[in-house]
Amino acid sequence: MKASDLFVHALEQEGVESIFGVPGEETLNLMESLRHSNIRFILTRHEQAAGFMAATYGRLTGRVGVCLSTLGPGVTNLVTAGAYAQLGAMPMLMISGQKPIKKSKQGRFQIVDAIAMMRPLTKSTRQVVHGNSISVIVRESVRLAQEERPGAVHIELPEDIAEEECTARPYPVQTTRRPHADELAIEQAAQMLMQAKRPLLLIGAGANRYRTSQALRQFVDHTGIYFFNTQMGKGVVDERHPRFLGTAALSNKDYLHCAIEQADLILNVGHDVIEKPPFFMYANGSTQVIHVNFFSSNVDEVYFPQLDVVGDIADSIERLYRHITPSAQWELSFFEKVKLELEQHIEEKAVQPRFPVGPEFLVGEIRRIMPDDGILALDNGLYKIWFARNYKAYGLNTLLLDNALASMGAGLPSAMAARMVFPERKVMAICGDGGFMMNAQELETAVRLKLDLVIVVLCDNAYGMIKWKQTELGFPAFGMDYTNPDFCKFAEAHGATGHRVKRAEELFNVLGDCFNTPGIHLVEVPIDYAEDEKDLVEEIKSKTEAL
């Protein structure tokens, strides 16, 4: 069997359905093997976008997403996507080609040490040096990518190895069960919760699993404890729940943070310091923290939990709530007050149209138009804070944002992957003009794939987040502004349909029409962040000081 055939058979054995990528001369043997396989090859216009799509596939399915590049500039283009998957805990396999390693034919033309380059960004990076080693390398790489904490892996397949004959066969895939937490740790956690006066539950990205979601919903219903989440933990428990407090989106002085400052114990489920450094341990010097995760805590200056409960998260929560009954000494009235104040504040702002559109109104209108199981895929920009804070996610992975690497350019590819994984659901990409233009070429890919997709491009003609920070720090405006193309014509040039919102009151109907019409729809929405300092900082601070 040719080595490239064995590689593809090994991927099929792992259940790989699609590979996203850009081929090169060094991957032509692999491409020919793919042509004869059941795996769908999805040609993208840039390797970074292919990586973002593969990572999002992994995030949504729990199975490894796969992307392909050639050597040199192809594999260097995968670096950002590799870091995106690694920091975001998304299972992804990157495959790259390489020149022949047994005999050079072009000196060092285009050659970079991809193994050394990928080592700090991945859980594993391997070069195939003999066809017979492919089976074990693929099996071990996929296992590592999917094992908790998930992440990125990389395999380099040189051109001469890909075409050689080998005798190996794919390894059988065996599932493994996760270890369970020690019973003594469960009992100690229950005791700490029962002795607390103002406990809170924090839900992070590691809890974004179906079984864990069910267990946490049962836990909240049984105990009545209020919960909040991180940005990547949104939707694990339906945020319409009466005990939902909010999402940690700002650094301090927001309503939610007032509640956190009053907590004397936080049950931290599935959150680690990569997603966002936990601010709650220095907010109140007496706050205790119970760390519940698949792995032990990484202690640093802002995170030093008093107890680790290490093991399968769903099992830990299921066992924990069996040890707990609602306590008469819990003082939860302040949390209820914070919840009511925050929801009233959000509702008031969501119905105040202005033009260019304000972010609070934007979020409110999009929440109104999105079905319960609809998926929003966010790029990175100032609007992400508003969606994290104001947009209620009703289910797992219905708000895809990245608060680990927080890379611009991921919004459109992530939405495309979400639509491919869930073709029956409504999907919308939310991109700033800066982030959209970083991978705007994938509009052609989306049209070619005949996806039904709505893409909202928020236009402020600047890198708005950094511009806001620049102003907030007292620096004069400098180096943040640019001009944009006519996005409607840009969409039409790619075979999509362009729309431009000219009044805030038009937004809801325009988006509704787009969702009800097949094809790719790009909606240009002028946005105004001028009130953000007042709305996000000054007004909230004045209101929360009165709580």
Side-chain angles (χ1 to χ4, degrees):
M1 181 186 298
K2 193 167 75 168
S4 60
D5 291 338
L6 175 60
F7 200 111
V8 170
H9 288 325
L11 294 175
E12 289 178 319
Q13 184 92 335
E14 297 290 346
V16 172
E17 301 169 324
S18 303
I19 295 178
F20 308 89
V22 180
E25 177 185 343
E26 291 71 26
T27 63
L28 289 178
N29 279 289
L30 192 62
M31 290 295 292
E32 178 62 13
S33 297
L34 283 171
R35 188 172 71 87
H36 294 284
S37 76
N38 295 320
I39 298 174
R40 182 186 183 189
F41 180 73
I42 297 159
L43 178 68
T44 63
R45 302 304 298 268
H46 196 285
E47 293 88 352
Q48 185 188 91
F52 285 146
M53 293 176 76
T56 302
Y57 176 96
R59 177 179 186 173
L60 292 173
T61 66
R63 303 190 304 273
V64 67
V66 184
C67 54
L68 173 70
S69 80
T70 189
L71 81 169
V75 70
T76 59
N77 281 343
L78 285 180
V79 165
T80 298
Y84 174 84
Q86 181 72 356
L87 268 67
M90 307 173 198
M92 179 177 76
L93 166 60
M94 297 175 282
I95 303 167
S96 63
Q98 186 53 278
K99 296 292 184 187
I101 58 174
K102 295 180 179 179
K103 184 179 180 181
S104 172
K105 65 177 183 179
Q106 289 181 313
R108 296 196 58 79
F109 173 67
Q110 285 196 315
I111 293 178
V112 296
D113 189 341
I115 303 301
M117 179 181 69
M118 288 292 186
R119 190 168 288 120
L121 301 174
T122 60
K123 297 178 77 174
S124 168
T125 176
R126 302 277 297 273
Q127 182 188 67
V128 180
V129 296
H130 194 286
N132 284 334
S133 66
I134 285 173
S135 297
V136 68
I137 290 176
V138 171
R139 174 80 280 269
E140 179 65 2
S141 296
V142 173
R143 182 190 70 81
L144 284 170
Q146 296 179 168
E147 183 179 72
E148 297 289 349
R149 185 180 190 267
V153 294
H154 168 246
I155 301 174
E156 181 180 80
L157 181 63
E159 183 180 0
D160 53 348
I161 303 300
E163 63 187 8
E164 71 181 13
E165 292 295 315
C166 54
T167 58
R169 292 293 180 268
Y171 270 48
V173 176
Q174 296 177 333
T175 58
T176 57
R177 291 185 61 83
R178 301 188 186 102
H180 291 173
D182 177 69
E183 180 63 21
L184 185 60
I186 297 290
E187 292 174 359
Q188 188 175 346
Q191 184 179 25
M192 290 172 67
L193 278 164
M194 294 300 294
Q195 290 175 349
K197 289 187 176 181
R198 294 174 301 279
L200 279 181
L201 167 64
L202 166 62
I203 300 174
N208 214 332
R209 314 284 189 273
Y210 180 73
R211 277 187 59 237
T212 306
S213 174
Q214 290 182 308
L216 283 167
R217 175 63 189 250
Q218 290 176 318
F219 180 87
V220 172
D221 288 342
H222 172 69
T223 62
I225 290 176
Y226 283 83
F227 71 95
F228 68 105
N229 50 35
T230 64
Q231 295 184 34
M232 294 180 72
K234 287 187 69 65
V236 172
V237 176
D238 189 330
E239 293 172 9
R240 291 170 292 190
H241 195 286
R243 287 294 193 261
F244 174 64
L245 274 179
T247 299
L250 297 177
S251 298
N252 54 34
K253 299 303 180 184
D254 202 350
Y255 291 90
L256 172 61
H257 305 90
C258 295
I260 293 168
E261 289 174 1
Q262 293 295 316
D264 62 347
L265 184 142
I266 293 177
L267 181 66
N268 178 4
V269 179
H271 176 237
D272 63 53
V273 295
I274 291 176
E275 187 181 347
K276 182 179 180 181
F279 46 80
F280 47 75
M281 294 210 70
Y282 56 77
N284 182 342
S286 61
T287 305
Q288 290 191 309
V289 174
I290 301 172
H291 172 94
V292 182
N293 217 317
F294 299 104
F295 46 85
S296 57
S297 56
N298 294 313
V299 175
D300 68 13
E301 293 179 0
V302 297
Y303 190 57
F304 36 91
Q306 282 71 35
L307 176 66
D308 277 16
V309 180
V310 180
D312 181 84
I313 294 178
D315 176 77
S316 296
I317 297 301
E318 288 168 354
R319 290 161 61 199
L320 182 58
Y321 80 73
R322 288 197 291 267
H323 285 75
I324 295 176
T325 56
S327 173
Q329 74 173 23
W330 287 346
E331 301 171 359
L332 307 180
S333 59
F334 181 76
F335 300 148
E336 176 64 16
K337 181 180 180 182
V338 168
K339 175 182 174 62
L340 293 174
E341 291 275 351
L342 173 60
E343 293 197 343
Q344 181 180 347
H345 176 81
I346 290 174
E347 289 170 7
E348 288 174 355
K349 296 290 185 179
V351 294
Q352 297 178 6
R354 65 176 191 264
F355 195 82
V357 174
E360 293 143 302
F361 181 80
L362 171 82
V363 174
E365 294 298 273
I366 289 178
R367 178 62 279 179
R368 279 210 301 146
I369 200 71
M370 292 297 291
D372 288 6
D373 67 347
I375 299 173
L376 281 185
L378 266 62
D379 209 285
N380 272 280
L382 185 51
Y383 53 88
K384 186 178 78 172
I385 294 176
W386 289 109
F387 276 93
R389 181 180 183 271
N390 292 20
Y391 185 91
K392 284 190 176 181
Y394 300 159
L396 288 169
N397 288 318
T398 56
L399 181 62
L400 302 179
L401 57 76
D402 166 30
N403 204 42
L405 184 68
S407 172
M408 296 175 70
L412 175 57
S414 295
M416 291 164 62
R419 182 65 191 182
M420 295 176 70
V421 173
F422 297 113
E424 75 287 355
R425 293 164 68 177
K426 302 292 188 185
V427 178
M428 181 186 295
I430 307 289
C431 307
D433 44 13
F436 175 75
M437 290 300 290
M438 289 186 179
N439 268 313
Q441 74 284 340
E442 300 308 323
L443 198 58
E444 184 278 328
T445 308
V447 171
R448 175 168 27 94
L449 294 174
K450 296 181 170 60
L451 301 178
D452 291 334
L453 189 65
V454 177
I455 305 159
V456 175
V457 179
L458 306 174
C459 296
D460 66 337
N461 301 302
Y463 290 118
M465 169 69 91
I466 311 306
K467 187 174 183 177
W468 178 52
K469 290 288 185 181
Q470 189 178 55
T471 302
E472 190 180 32
L473 292 173
F475 294 116
F478 175 74
M480 303 296 169
D481 299 308
Y482 46 72
T483 57
N484 280 311
D486 183 321
F487 284 113
C488 290
K489 291 181 180 178
F490 184 89
E492 291 160 6
H494 287 80
T497 304
H499 309 262
R500 181 175 293 111
V501 171
K502 298 179 180 178
R503 296 172 57 249
E505 293 82 0
E506 295 176 358
L507 181 61
F508 183 85
N509 289 334
V510 169
L511 294 177
D513 291 343
C514 292
F515 267 146
N516 292 325
T517 308
I520 305 291
H521 296 270
L522 188 153
V523 183
E524 178 184 322
V525 181
I527 192 163
D528 178 17
Y529 296 120
E531 301 293 314
D532 277 20
E533 180 68 18
K534 178 175 73 71
D535 291 347
L536 277 177
V537 181
E538 296 170 7
E539 184 176 340
I540 290 174
K541 182 180 178 181
S542 66
K543 287 188 175 183
T544 56
E545 285 177 348
L547 284 173

